[in-house]
DNA sequence: CCACCTCCTTGATCTGCGTCATCCGAACAT
DNA sequence: ATGTTCGGATGACGCAGATCAAGGAGGTGG
């Protein structure tokens, strides 16, 4: 179809333009964060363009061969792992500037599928070239170590949430964490749109969908948030933060 | 006391002897795994000796400044994080050859205390020197990336366990995982001693101590294991593995 | 030998949240 | 409009596992 073709072309052009790290609004959060301009150009050179993913499309599938890590440029994704005959498990949500695929290095396959929750663009970074470049650029290497370390730290937080917190605390944590991540990215920490369904949230937090719904309703009654579909308005962030703490 | 002094001296001597990676029985599992002999000597040179930790002593405390990662040489440890006024949370157990402290890189402080569960010796690896060396030794760098990636992958497994598995499945997973780790280290996968208390296990798995006790009793009745205090004998590993799966 | 402590076990009761069932509204195709 | 599908809300009920309570076993010091 001619309309689509024109569309795709337009997208490709803007991608080409934006794809340079120097011009990217996320450069202060992303991997090249610590790089000097000329180093950034080296880094820039190994990055591959990717056409945008539509909602529901996967960046890669569980079990496929590991080759690259990806930096989210816009949109959002979820990581889903399927084990045996069991149900799926949502293990992570990724927002712009975050790094996807780091858990694939070890066994050279991706341990989960990563699926776009909305139209999403990513930068592909072939890992062998990244590794090689990290030999020459200590700052890049450090940033890579830090990214992985941060993910480890976040995972520990998640474990704590899953093993010690009540359903209310989990939801409160989820919202305050999202709020914080939006704030860091320059968006409003009070008003945002959830790109994931209630089912995804419940699955991620280890709760039934019904529980998520009920608690969201309760939060609304208590005047903590205003929720309408996927639009969220945080009315009392402090109270929400207090709720998220694990002492009663 | 002269007896202690003699003892300590003896320990120091044997430490000096064993402390070379070339002589270490764990070298096939540990960080220098992929190194050639001459590279290993370089790596060896940055490692610091540590006198053994006694049961209950901490390798480092939550919040203290990050400077090194540690490889466990013998014994075992637990990682514990305390948050707010809340209870402690056991987030990991470490066995010989495993790397401790990688989650401290990011914020330059250790996110949890790490405490010896029995008499334990570790190798201290100052991180700045490790990083620097990883610039020259691609194999070492790769191994470091892989270690972190593996930990990420294991964390995801743990999240799945905590959010989807029943108490029985958690305990079964715990035992099969321990069994597997012992096997890899050349110990019997069927017969071993738990260095952690029931309370530690429960805390780690998100269960009450009482639940751990009850289920251990049930496993015993079913002829899956034989447990007496901290001595464990796995009688039917296959059945235990089946139990650990998350489909009923 | 006894007192004390820590770790573990076992039983009785309670409860948070999962499960099941139903219904509502929005988006989309017919 | 009308049916269909999908995401979300709400109510009733039951159960896995927490909590409370009590007792046993081993280890250590007096």
């Amino acid at each position: 179809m001619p309309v689509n073709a024109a569309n795709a072309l337009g997208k490709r052009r803007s991608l080409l333009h934006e794809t340079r790290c120097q011009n990217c609004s996320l450069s202060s959060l992303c991997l090249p964060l610590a790089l000097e301009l000329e180093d950034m150009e080296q880094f820039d050179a190994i990055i591959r363009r990717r056409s945008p993913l539509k909602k529901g499309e996967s960046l890669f599938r569980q079990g496929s061969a590991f080759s690259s890590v990806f930096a989210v440029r816009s949109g959002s994704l979820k990581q889903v792992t399927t084990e045996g005959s069991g149900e799926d498990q949502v293990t992570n949500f990724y927002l712009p500037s975050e790094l996807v695929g780091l858990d694939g290095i070890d066994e050279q396959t991706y341990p989960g599928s990563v699926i776009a929750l909305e139209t999403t663009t990513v930068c592909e970074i072939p890992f062998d070239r990244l590794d090689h470049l990290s030999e020459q650029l200590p700052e890049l290497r450090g940033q890579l170590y830090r990214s992985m370390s941060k993910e480890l730290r976040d995972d520990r937080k998640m474990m704590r949430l899953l093993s010690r917190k009540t359903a209310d605390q989990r939801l409160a944590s989820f919202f305050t964490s999202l709020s914080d991540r939006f704030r860091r990215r320059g968006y409003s920490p009070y008003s945002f749109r959830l790109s994931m369904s209630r089912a995804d949230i419940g699955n991620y937090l280890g709760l039934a969908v019904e529980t998520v719904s009920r608690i969201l309703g309760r939060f609304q009654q208590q005047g903590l948030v205003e929720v309408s579909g996927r639009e969220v308005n945080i009315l009392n962030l402090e109270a929400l933060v207090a709720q998220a703490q694990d002492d009663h």
Side-chain angles (χ1 to χ4, degrees), chain A residues 11 25-26 28-29 36 43-44 57 67 70 74 80 84 96 113 118 132 142 148 158 163 169 203 210 221-222 235-236:
Chain A
K11 276 179 187 162
S25 61
L26 295 168
S28 64
L29 296 161
E36 302 293 330
F43 176 74
D44 209 273
E57 288 181 344
S67 60
F70 301 85
S74 70
V80 181
S113 302
E118 58 196 308
H132 188 71
M148 299 184 82
M158 194 62 193
S163 74
Q169 292 168 341
N203 189 312
E210 295 93 326
Q221 282 181 6
Q222 298 171 236
L235 302 175
N236 190 342

Side-chain angles (χ1 to χ4, degrees), chain A residues 61-74:
Chain A
R61 299 232 150 251
Q62 178 167 359
S64 58
F66 170 83
S67 60
S68 301
V69 297
F70 301 85
V72 184
R73 174 185 291 282
S74 70

